[in-house]
Amino acid sequence: MASNSLSVSHRATVGPALRASGRAGMAGRWAAMLGGTALGLLGARRGGWSGIALGAVGAGLFLAGATGGGLTLPNLNLPTGVLPSKRRPHRTPERTQSVVTIAAPAEEVYRFWRNFANLPKLMPWLDRVDVLSATESQWIAKGADGDAVRWRVALDRVDENELLTWHTTGEAPLPHRASLMLKPAPGDRGTEVRLTLVHRHPPAEVARLLGVTPERQAQDALNRLKQRIETGELSTLDRQPHGDRGLGLNPASRLGGVSE
């Protein structure tokens, strides 16, 4: 009788606990399965090594919930020293600078360059620059293959007679940013002008599209600017539609001696 009483008492005490434990276990398994599914979807959207890692964790979590077992992560077989990262590799920007001293006050140099419509006079590879507003313009070049190449530019910083900075906007074929810096030249010899171009593509890609490298662009533009400001005119060659293109030179022949 005592044995039967103990058995009944044991069932009365342990039974609800087991059922509660079972419900808790099932809830935990469902939570693991839902969490695993969420991680898997997140990994699929993210992509790359980090996406693979998240997908693997999600799969292990889902499997653990479905089978009621422990969480086991699959072997990712990552190369030694490689850690998952959500950031994709990118090119190091290509930077080009050219400097010239112009025997003229900074105000005169700045005023000529500030009107971007003047730039085709300094850059023969440009067909024209359409000024759209006080800060925006559209540049149109004749590509090396004869097709028009277009991009938009926005001014970033305008410090009168000292600094201009600008960058391409939207889906530019050759994204880049640039700056023109002016300061007094040593010995009161006029104005030192520094043009900086920063491209996301190698110089060879720029030359392939425009027929001229960034270094040549910067050097030629400042040389023409100096001639224009100091003499008031450009040479006959500089007035030709596309400078050395008129001589029938191919891009490769223009790379000698000489940033995106």
Side-chain angles (χ1 to χ4, degrees):
M1 185 67 176
S3 176
N4 289 340
S5 176
L6 179 61
S7 177
V8 171
S9 175
H10 176 74
R11 288 196 300 272
T13 303
V14 176
L18 288 175
R19 287 193 296 273
S21 176
R23 287 194 296 271
M26 182 56 70
R29 290 170 62 182
W30 274 108
M33 292 168 66
L34 291 174
T37 301
L39 284 176
L41 292 174
L42 180 60
R45 285 197 300 268
R46 177 168 297 182
W49 283 116
S50 60
I52 294 174
L54 284 173
V57 172
L61 193 59
F62 183 89
L63 184 61
T67 61
L71 176 62
T72 302
L73 296 179
N75 182 14
L76 296 178
N77 295 318
L78 293 177
T80 303
V82 176
L83 296 178
S85 172
K86 67 180 180 180
R87 300 185 65 181
R88 297 181 177 179
H90 60 278
R91 287 192 179 108
T92 301
E94 297 279 349
R95 182 186 184 92
T96 295
Q97 280 192 341
S98 188
V99 183
V100 70
T101 297
I102 299 177
E107 293 86 347
E108 185 177 351
V109 179
Y110 173 87
R111 185 169 59 250
F112 186 87
W113 192 287
R114 176 64 181 84
N115 181 4
F116 278 1
N118 285 329
L119 296 186
K121 301 173 184 176
L122 309 178
M123 306 173 187
W125 48 272
L126 275 177
D127 275 345
R128 73 177 193 268
V129 175
D130 298 329
V131 178
L132 306 177
S133 70
T135 59
E136 294 183 310
S137 57
Q138 178 174 250
W139 299 34
I140 304 171
K142 187 174 183 179
D145 59 1
D147 293 334
V149 182
R150 304 167 184 266
W151 63 91
R152 287 205 173 196
V153 163
L155 284 170
D156 298 309
R157 182 172 173 180
V158 179
D159 295 345
E160 191 169 355
N161 304 328
E162 295 181 358
L163 178 67
L164 279 173
T165 68
W166 62 95
H167 70 280
T168 55
T169 63
E171 297 296 326
L174 292 172
H176 64 276
R177 52 191 173 86
S179 67
L180 186 80
M181 181 180 294
L182 301 89
K183 67 178 183 179
D188 195 26
R189 294 185 294 115
T191 303
E192 181 181 284
V193 184
R194 182 183 302 271
L195 177 60
T196 303
L197 305 176
V198 182
H199 284 85
R200 296 183 187 176
H201 294 80
E205 290 191 28
V206 180
R208 195 156 42 241
L209 184 61
L210 298 180
V212 58
T213 64
E215 184 174 354
R216 187 66 179 270
Q217 290 178 26
Q219 289 177 347
D220 288 356
L222 290 191
N223 288 339
R224 292 186 178 99
L225 178 64
K226 176 180 174 70
Q227 186 180 19
R228 179 77 184 216
I229 296 297
E230 291 183 350
T231 69
E233 61 181 19
L234 297 175
S235 68
T236 302
L237 178 61
D238 287 330
R239 284 197 293 265
Q240 290 181 1
H242 288 282
D244 52 10
R245 291 184 189 181
L247 301 179
L249 301 181
N250 58 41
S253 67
R254 294 193 291 271
L255 299 183
V258 203
S259 33
E260 188 135 279

